[in-house]
Amino acid sequence: MVQNYQKLNPLLLRKLEGILGKDNLLSSGDPGLTVFARDEISGYGDACFAIPEAVAFPDSEQKIVELVELANRHHFPITPRGGGTGLAGGAVPVFGGLVVSLEKMNRIIEIDPQNLTVTTQPGVIVKTLNDHLAGDGLTFPCFPISQDRCQIGGNVATNAGGGKAVKYGVTGRYVLGMRVVSPTGRVLALGGKLLKNATGYNLIPLVTGSEGTLGIITELTIKVISLPTVRRDFLALFPCDEAALGIVSELLAGTGIVPASIEYIDHLSIKVTERFLGKTLNYRNCGAALIFSFDGYDRQTVDSEYDRAATFVRARGALGVEEGKTPASRERLWMVRKNLADAFHAYSPFQTCEDIVVPPGRMMEVFIRLRRIADEYGVAIPIFGHAGDGNLHPRIVAPADWSAEKWHEIFPKVQKAIFHAAADCGGQISGEHGIGRKRRSQIFLTVPENNLEWMRNIKTVLDPNRIMNPGKIF
Ligand SMILES: Cc1cc2nc3c(=O)[nH]c(=O)nc-3n(C[C@H](O)[C@H](O)[C@H](O)COP(=O)(O)OP(=O)(O)OC[C@H]3O[C@@H](n4cnc5c(N)ncnc54)[C@H](O)[C@@H]3O)c2cc1C
């Protein structure tokens, strides 16, 4: 659908300034606007880069209501933005208009240890939230690996997963309540400090993961848990990818062991990250690695799970098991996993990260398909990810000496082949990063037309003027 949006002319900019005050608005010509032109997506060039006409930094829900009302009256697009760490182009203002940055809505309103909840504004950085919660012996366990830069509102808007989803699930499981400014400027107060609620349609999961297309989240009530007091991690090295990935579902299905994390890293990811870090790692020559993390409140239980899992992986062919006993050695153990995105950015200008999810028992099947796709198209597809959830991040990496033209010709074909492989294995094209701008032309591959029709209808009813994050998902 072609949209003819109104440009933010001087009159509209004055109106925006009237709502926000001069200090809370960036507008035309300000070099700072380019910061808001992209998220952390790579490999897409101009398709996921667009400089907004203005950026608003509201510090209250009421100001957001006024911005949204103005957008409806004058028909200009609004793009909500959290920490900008998204990997789907969701926060990119593809039609220009106004970016609404939530960074000034960064107050933790109430930590309630009795009800195990935290009520917070959306712009709080997730790590900051957890640092505050730790003071009360609490935690939000479902943080993404980008936790030191992403916002809790962005996590909810993308239904983010993360390293600990095997045991703790994804963000949506923790959202008990929210306030949302709808695309027409109405304020909805959903849920609350309730662990159960069967009163009418449950709208919280509809907004969760809607990637800013169904409104702007202005407040959240999040379920928290007691901060685990015991943690043990180990790195298991394997001779090949098959040996590593092949045991994950067997361990989860057959042993009763529930690690907090099972992260997978393939050989190429290890090599490239080692070179990037300028270190010599003692596991540089292994074929693949799994990182296991165990946590809980009782030393004996955690030790028992740890020991049983370590025995299990050794019996299934692990070449070695290395424990991260101290914070420093644990840091070393996670070093490759935490730095590999930066390592691949440095390795080749032509690379992008995918996010497929398949039933855990079918990971090997999809893995073999991915290796064949790499050979067929002459690219590398290093694979890492949250193996315990069946959520793999194949990275499409072209040789650094390719031309931009060649990259833009080949990579959509590789991406499509990867998505087909996921679909054939009963999976989806995104497990946690979302559809955003990046994957919207491919959503039909795994989402049936009837489902898509419901989604489009919901969008049309709630956002009749199409001002809320247009050009995303569909
Ligand atoms: C190094 C790295 C590691 C990562 N690791 C993980 C991981 O382990 N798991 C994972 O799931 N993701 C991961 N990501 C992706 C990203 O961090 C998550 O998608 C995160 O939830 C995005 O949050 P954000 O605040 O940065 O949102 P943004 O990127 O700013 O926005 C993401 C989407 O949410 C919308 N949005 C943001 N705030 C609001 C709001 N208040 N109301 C309505 N809509 C809003 C935006 O419009 C956009 O569509 C990683 C990214 C990087 C760069």
Side-chain angles (χ1 to χ4, degrees):
M1 187 186 297
V2 180
Q3 292 288 337
N4 292 314
Y5 290 107
Q6 163 87 357
K7 289 283 166 208
L8 294 180
N9 57 30
L11 179 71
L12 280 174
L13 289 173
R14 270 201 304 282
K15 284 182 190 279
L16 288 171
E17 216 175 279
I19 294 170
L20 296 155
K22 212 179 171 104
D23 291 345
N24 292 324
L25 183 70
L26 280 186
S27 62
S28 35
D30 193 311
L33 287 178
T34 47
V35 172
F36 299 88
R38 59 185 297 273
D39 62 7
E40 292 278 337
I41 204 173
S42 56
Y44 272 70
D46 289 348
C48 281
F49 181 91
I51 299 176
E53 291 159 68
V55 181
F57 302 93
D59 54 12
S60 72
E61 182 181 85
Q62 179 53 32
K63 288 181 184 168
I64 294 176
V65 169
E66 289 172 37
L67 294 174
V68 173
E69 283 174 351
L70 192 71
N72 276 285
R73 269 202 307 280
H74 295 275
H75 199 234
F76 63 81
I78 280 189
T79 306
R81 183 180 178 97
T85 68
L87 291 171
V92 176
V94 290
F95 293 105
L98 183 70
V99 164
V100 174
S101 165
L102 278 307
E103 66 188 63
K104 291 198 175 171
M105 301 272 291
N106 62 357
R107 199 162 54 85
I108 297 172
I109 297 164
E110 185 201 22
I111 295 174
D112 180 347
Q114 194 189 6
N115 288 306
L116 287 175
T117 59
V118 57
T119 302
T120 177
Q121 289 188 321
V124 177
I125 299 292
V126 175
K127 179 154 188 325
T128 308
L129 184 68
N130 261 337
D131 288 346
H132 276 81
L133 286 167
D136 286 285
L138 300 170
T139 190
F140 164 60
C142 173
F143 50 85
I145 288 170
S146 52
Q147 60 161 332
D148 47 3
R149 287 183 293 137
C150 63
Q151 299 177 0
I152 186 67
N155 278 197
V156 173
T158 53
N159 196 12
K164 289 185 167 191
V166 192
K167 180 171 179 178
Y168 295 108
V170 299
T171 302
R173 188 156 134 188
Y174 296 85
V175 186
L176 300 181
M178 60 165 73
R179 291 176 68 87
V180 193
V181 176
S182 82
T184 51
R186 305 245 180 109
V187 176
L188 276 82
L190 307 174
K193 294 180 182 177
L194 304 172
L195 295 176
K196 285 177 155 185
N197 186 352
T199 318
Y201 290 162
N202 191 354
L203 300 179
I204 292 174
L206 178 64
V207 179
T208 303
S210 64
E211 303 185 54
T213 62
L214 297 183
I216 302 182
I217 299 163
T218 53
E219 190 178 299
L220 287 158
T221 299
I222 301 283
K223 178 173 138 75
V224 295
I225 62 165
S226 294
L227 184 65
T229 48
V230 186
R231 173 175 169 183
R232 286 185 74 186
D233 296 5
F234 71 74
L235 175 76
L237 309 179
F238 293 86
C240 60
D241 301 301
E242 288 79 355
L245 275 183
I247 66 158
V248 173
S249 62
E250 198 188 335
L251 179 127
L252 290 174
T255 63
I257 300 168
V258 187
S261 322
I262 309 179
E263 293 291 309
Y264 165 77
I265 316 169
D266 76 353
H267 179 69
L268 182 58
S269 303
I270 294 170
K271 290 300 267 191
V272 169
T273 311
E274 183 194 43
R275 199 174 319 143
F276 171 75
L277 293 171
K279 295 194 184 293
T280 305
L281 300 172
N282 57 355
Y283 52 98
R284 60 200 310 245
N285 291 321
C286 75
L290 290 174
I291 306 174
F292 286 80
S293 187
F294 300 85
D295 66 10
Y297 308 98
D298 166 56
R299 166 66 62 186
Q300 249 184 336
T301 312
V302 174
D303 283 352
S304 157
E305 288 215 305
Y306 178 102
D307 292 341
R308 284 166 59 215
T311 305
F312 181 91
V313 300
R314 280 198 193 94
R316 295 295 188 287
L319 302 169
V321 169
E322 186 186 323
E323 178 167 11
K325 281 201 176 102
T326 59
S329 63
R330 195 183 294 152
E331 194 57 34
R332 203 170 53 243
L333 204 138
W334 281 90
M335 192 183 290
V336 168
R337 178 65 184 90
K338 289 194 172 157
N339 287 283
L340 54 79
D342 289 341
F344 279 108
H345 278 290
Y347 180 76
S348 169
F350 305 119
Q351 48 91 30
T352 193
C353 180
E354 289 308 336
D355 175 43
I356 58 172
V357 60
V358 295
R362 297 186 76 174
M363 269 191 301
M364 262 326 293
E365 206 179 324
V366 81
F367 183 88
I368 291 164
R369 290 272 299 267
L370 298 179
R371 287 288 184 248
R372 280 198 213 122
I373 294 166
D375 290 345
E376 188 181 336
Y377 290 96
V379 293
I381 306 190
I383 302 167
F384 61 94
H386 313 298
D389 320 327
N391 181 197
L392 295 174
H393 295 313
R395 214 171 183 98
I396 308 170
V397 185
D401 61 1
W402 271 25
S403 65
E405 290 73 31
K406 185 164 179 185
W407 165 250
H408 287 294
E409 182 203 327
I410 301 290
F411 104 82
K413 296 180 183 162
V414 181
Q415 186 197 45
K416 205 166 173 183
I418 292 175
F419 291 167
H420 272 291
D424 292 346
C425 293
Q428 290 289 349
I429 67 174
S430 176
E432 57 180 19
H433 296 164
I435 299 300
R437 184 69 176 169
K438 176 176 178 173
R439 304 181 176 93
R440 73 187 191 125
S441 63
Q442 308 291 328
I443 189 172
F444 72 93
L445 283 177
T446 53
V447 180
E449 180 49 33
N450 286 350
N451 306 19
L452 278 175
E453 194 186 332
W454 266 41
M455 292 186 202
R456 286 192 211 100
N457 288 347
I458 289 168
K459 173 71 177 167
T460 303
V461 167
L462 297 183
D463 186 11
N465 294 323
R466 302 249 159 204
I467 57 97
M468 193 55 74
N469 209 359
K472 310 295 163 59
I473 302 184
F474 313 108

